[in-house]
């Protein structure tokens, strides 16, 4: 696994790491460990991990940390996961189902560590302290289908990002204000998108066809906005791209008509039940903490995660999803969902 080094055009082995900040009420300017502590002895923030920790690699014996840098802003340090380039996703835990969102604003390698800055917002687009999960991906799995791109030039008509900012993807084209296509392999099915900005943005998948994923980005209220974004994809395998932790699941085009196309890494059915306007319960036959879940709406509008229960019964995951129209009201919508678990199945 890579540590410091690399650079433009350098191909790296696969890296992955994720972390959860649940306790967002720490004073601004303070840092806390994402691990059990006397204040939170069964701290869910221990849901963080990185592959080399399982094999004695860099970062062993250290824990991830979060610094509350401002209202709605967290800086998360993932020890031992540092790599040049790559992409960061963020998932808000919108416990009230009110439409809160989180997104990466920046990330960078700091020695052997990876630092991810996250911005979170309320339904109107104002900064808000919201529980959040982050995922960092870099490099290319040996023989895997995983791919990603950091589309960092939102006003450019077309360009092709290279390693280490992209893997297994091609040209990014701007087709209109806030509208883009990304060339992806024909087997890319589990496509996820996160906007990258310091201001509130929503980016959704408009479709995947003909070797291209279409992305549409808006601001609060629904107006199209040119926006930098990250996109990841995989085939019918875990997004982590790590043979030591191969289990996961995905749904594409899920919603009122059911789970759409889906894959799960263990036997059993994936189900989706509509429980109200724009509200869905997803059940997966695979998974347990530690894990990462990402939800991307099939735009316009946006969808997100309300609650996750994969800490109880193994391989009986329950996820609650909420979707909203472009203007912010709850609304039925299709969505894509990717779930990756790092649970050490035996």
């Amino acid at each position: 696994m890579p540590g410091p080094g690399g650079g433009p055009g350098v191909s790296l082995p696969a890296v992955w790491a994720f972390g959860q900040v649940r306790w967002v009420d720490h004073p601004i300017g303070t840092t806390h460990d994402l691990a059990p502590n006397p204040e939170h002895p069964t701290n869910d923030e221990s849901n963080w991990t990185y592959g080399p920790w399982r094999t004695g690699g860099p970062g062993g014996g250290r824990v991830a940390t979060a610094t509350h840098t401002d209202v709605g802003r967290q800086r998360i340090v993932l020890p031992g996961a540092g790599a040049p380039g790559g992409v960061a996703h963020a998932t808000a835990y919108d416990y009230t189902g009110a439409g809160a969102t989180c997104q990466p604003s920046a990330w960078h390698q700091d020695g052997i560590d990876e630092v991810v800055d996250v911005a979170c917002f309320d339904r109107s687009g104002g900064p808000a302290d919201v529980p959040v999960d982050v995922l960092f991906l870099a490099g290319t799995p040996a023989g895997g289908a995983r791919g990603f791109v950091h589309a960092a030039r939102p006003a450019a008509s077309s360009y092709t990002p290279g390693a280490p900012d992209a893997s297994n993807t091609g040209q990014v084209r701007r087709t209109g204000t806030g509208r883009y296509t990304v060339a992806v392999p024909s087997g890319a099915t589990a496509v996820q998108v996160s906007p990258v900005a310091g201001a509130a943005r929503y980016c959704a998948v408009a479709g995947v066809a003909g070797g291209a994923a279409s992305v549409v980005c808006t601001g609060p209220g629904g107006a199209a906005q040119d926006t930098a974004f990250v996109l990841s994809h995989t085939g019918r395998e875990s997004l982590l791209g790590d043979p030591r932790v191969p289990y996961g699941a995905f749904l594409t085009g899920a919603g009122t008509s059911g789970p759409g196309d889906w894959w799960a890494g263990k036997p059993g059915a994936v189900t989706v039940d509509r429980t109200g306007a724009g509200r869905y319960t997803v059940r997966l036959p695979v998974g347990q903490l530690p894990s990462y879940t990402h939800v991307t709406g099939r735009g316009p509008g946006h969808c997100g995660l309300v609650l996750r229960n994969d800490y109880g019964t193994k391989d009986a995951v329950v996820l609650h999803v909420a979707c909203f129209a472009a203007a912010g009201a709850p609304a039925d919508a299709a969505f894509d969902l990717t779930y990756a678990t790092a649970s050490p199945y035996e």
Side-chain angles (χ1 to χ4, degrees):
M1 293 292 179
V10 175
S11 180
L12 298 168
V15 174
W16 57 269
F18 52 76
Q20 179 184 70
V21 183
R22 178 178 180 185
W23 309 109
V24 294
D25 55 354
H26 289 265
I28 291 173
T30 62
T31 300
H32 73 280
D33 291 346
L34 303 185
N37 54 57
E39 185 180 5
H40 306 293
T42 58
N43 194 351
D44 288 348
E45 293 180 327
S46 57
N47 178 42
W48 62 273
T49 192
Y50 170 53
W53 292 325
R54 299 191 184 281
T55 58
R62 297 165 57 213
V63 299
T65 63
T67 301
H68 192 189
T69 59
D70 204 343
V71 176
R73 302 296 179 108
Q74 300 282 344
R75 169 164 285 190
I76 301 163
V77 177
L78 299 166
V87 297
H89 281 296
T91 294
Y93 279 87
D94 183 21
Y95 294 134
T96 64
T101 59
C102 294
Q103 63 201 41
S105 59
W107 59 95
H108 68 274
Q109 181 181 4
D110 182 12
I112 66 169
D113 300 336
E114 190 67 26
V115 179
V116 181
D117 291 317
V118 177
C120 296
F121 306 92
D122 61 21
R123 179 173 172 172
S124 66
D129 291 326
V130 179
V132 60
D133 270 17
V134 298
L135 170 70
F136 175 66
L137 301 173
T140 303
R146 186 185 88 181
F148 60 79
V149 63
H150 180 196
R153 299 167 56 190
S157 59
S158 66
Y159 60 104
T160 303
D165 299 313
S167 172
N168 205 20
T169 57
Q171 186 182 62
V172 179
R173 294 181 59 244
R174 180 180 181 270
T175 59
T177 302
R179 303 189 74 92
Y180 308 91
T181 62
V182 177
V184 296
S186 59
T189 51
V191 175
Q192 296 293 328
V193 178
S194 288
V196 178
R201 294 288 185 268
Y202 310 131
C203 288
V205 174
V208 182
S214 298
V215 175
V216 56
C217 297
T218 65
Q225 297 280 349
D226 287 341
T227 305
F229 62 90
V230 295
L231 178 148
S232 64
H233 67 80
T234 189
R236 308 181 89 79
E237 59 184 57
S238 170
L239 183 61
L240 300 183
D242 188 331
R244 294 169 299 177
V245 284
Y247 295 100
F250 71 72
L251 302 76
T252 62
T256 56
S257 60
D261 183 29
W262 61 269
W263 166 84
K266 299 194 82 173
V270 170
T271 64
V272 175
D273 295 310
R274 179 182 181 273
T275 59
R279 299 295 291 266
Y280 306 91
T281 299
V282 177
R283 291 180 171 83
L284 308 177
V286 55
Q288 192 169 42
L289 288 177
S291 66
Y292 179 83
T293 302
H294 199 85
V295 181
T296 298
R298 287 275 178 149
H302 67 282
C303 299
L305 193 63
V306 177
L307 290 171
R308 177 195 64 200
N309 183 351
D310 60 353
Y311 49 80
T313 305
K314 190 174 185 178
D315 297 332
V317 176
V318 180
L319 307 169
H320 298 277
V321 173
C323 295
F324 302 86
D332 291 341
F335 59 90
D336 294 359
L337 183 150
T338 294
Y339 175 87
T341 177
S343 176
Y345 283 89
E346 302 297 340

